[in-house]
Amino acid sequence: MATAAEPRPAQLPLPGGTEGATVRLHPLLCARMACPPGLLHRAEGRLAGLRALGVGVAREEWPEIPVVAFAVEHPGAGLLLVDTGFHAAVAVDPAQGMGRLGGLVFKDLRMDAGQAVPAQLRERGLDPGAVRAVLMTHLHADHASGISQFPDATFLVSSAEWEAAADGGQTDGYLRRQFDHAFDYRLLDFDSAATSSYAGFGRTLDVFGDGSVRVALTPGHTAGHCSIVLRLPDREALICGDAAYTERTIAETALPQRMADEHRFRRSLREIQRFLEQRPGALAIPGHDMAAFRRLDAAYGRPG
Ligand SMILES: [Zn+2]
């Protein structure tokens, strides 16, 4: 379907690459919401599909899940983001966050105005206007809602994800009004000559050409989902995005209820597992795991 945005091919590497660069990670908790347990990890049984939508599941059994984004400081390229969380308006009107259909499944969305990414950047002494690049794991509502807050940034998204979102609708988890702006969208082509395998991942792109930030194609949750590998000073970090909702997804190959493509999801999860086998010191950051996020925040969040 036609879009207002006119995405162009990404030209990698982006400027600012610095040999041996490491990046600083700021985990950002943008909101929390309650989610039916069967949606995170699919169950067996005749009523599993209904229970995954929360039907017949007592509210006390619904885990609270985080909605997250990440600020990344690169020594040569400046400030970038991974995903955008919810727009500040969602703090005032939570029903906007997941859209009409999403609101039927995800309950008790809680977000303070201070949890919008621009406010969180300012609180850390970072200028939202200085965000040069935003790497999108995918364009689902809880990742893309905040896009309009960064009109001057370059957005990197896989070409498969852009096509899926442009053709998709609410039943696929996409809200077009969140992402279809005439912004600088750049599509990542994982069939290009710049693509290489990296530590268990079959197809990755090196964003700055210095190995500090790599985008790995991990489709399955959505058609063009990506995960991000960061080189921190002390270890590597893997922002899984929704290729793994939780640590249990990774440890037990516990599949979610909904996947755009189960075969590809399994293959991407296997690549994540292989990466972690090959990089035993690496930190895996799942997409929607509150306990894991709390530990991440304790290790890499603001001091004090
Ligand atoms: Zn998603």
Side-chain angles (χ1 to χ4, degrees):
M1 196 187 282
T3 53
E6 294 176 5
R8 288 178 289 166
Q11 304 287 342
L12 297 184
L14 298 185
T18 311
E19 204 186 321
T22 60
V23 297
R24 179 164 181 203
L25 173 67
H26 301 268
L28 308 175
L29 177 63
C30 302
R32 43 187 85 196
M33 53 195 185
C35 167
L39 199 64
L40 285 183
H41 308 120
R42 84 180 169 195
E44 302 300 325
R46 195 167 53 86
L47 298 175
L50 278 175
R51 290 176 62 82
L53 298 174
V55 177
V57 185
R59 192 56 67 83
E60 311 86 76
E61 292 175 31
W62 294 39
E64 186 177 59
I65 63 168
V67 171
V68 300
F70 304 88
V72 176
E73 290 183 87
H74 184 284
L79 183 59
L80 49 144
L81 297 178
V82 177
D83 292 340
T84 65
F86 284 124
H87 190 280
V90 176
V92 183
D93 179 12
Q96 283 191 31
M98 297 300 288
R100 189 173 47 81
L101 287 180
L104 296 175
V105 178
F106 298 93
K107 304 291 187 190
D108 301 334
L109 197 165
R110 288 191 288 140
M111 175 188 181
D112 303 327
Q115 287 185 295
V117 170
Q120 294 209 54
L121 294 178
R122 275 186 230 105
E123 209 188 330
R124 287 162 176 77
L126 303 168
D127 174 12
V131 172
R132 306 252 189 96
V134 183
L135 314 181
M136 296 301 302
T137 60
H138 63 308
L139 292 170
H140 273 169
D142 50 329
H143 301 255
S145 165
I147 282 176
S148 67
Q149 299 171 129
F150 302 96
D152 300 321
T154 291
F155 288 83
L156 295 176
V157 57
S158 79
S159 43
E161 184 65 16
W162 181 267
E163 278 170 35
D167 290 337
Q170 277 202 48
T171 49
D172 310 299
Y174 298 114
L175 296 177
R176 172 182 291 248
R177 60 182 155 78
Q178 292 179 338
F179 62 85
D180 192 13
H181 308 290
F183 289 178
D184 185 28
Y185 277 102
R186 299 293 181 139
L187 303 186
L188 297 170
D189 175 5
F190 286 91
D191 294 321
S192 76
T195 300
S196 64
S197 61
Y198 179 74
F201 289 108
R203 290 200 273 177
T204 70
L205 289 167
D206 184 351
V207 176
F208 299 108
D210 60 10
S212 63
V213 179
R214 293 175 201 269
V215 182
L217 186 64
T218 51
H221 172 70
T222 56
H225 188 280
C226 292
S227 303
I228 316 293
V229 185
L230 301 175
R231 188 164 66 212
L232 307 183
D234 55 336
R235 67 212 295 203
E236 281 183 305
L238 171 64
I239 297 174
C240 298
D242 290 353
Y245 281 151
T246 67
E247 289 183 332
R248 194 181 144 200
T249 312
I250 301 170
E252 302 174 19
T253 311
L255 300 189
Q257 172 68 20
R258 292 196 59 184
M259 292 161 273
D261 185 318
E262 179 171 338
H263 171 74
R264 289 200 167 104
F265 188 98
R266 285 180 180 278
R267 193 174 60 191
S268 296
L269 182 57
R270 184 69 206 120
E271 292 193 5
I272 286 172
Q273 292 163 337
R274 216 176 282 146
F275 169 81
L276 295 169
E277 285 159 19
Q278 292 185 22
R279 294 287 204 271
L283 171 70
I285 304 173
H288 291 290
D289 185 324
M290 190 58 94
F293 186 85
R294 289 213 176 95
R295 265 183 277 116
L296 177 71
D297 195 47
Y300 292 94
R302 284 162 301 158

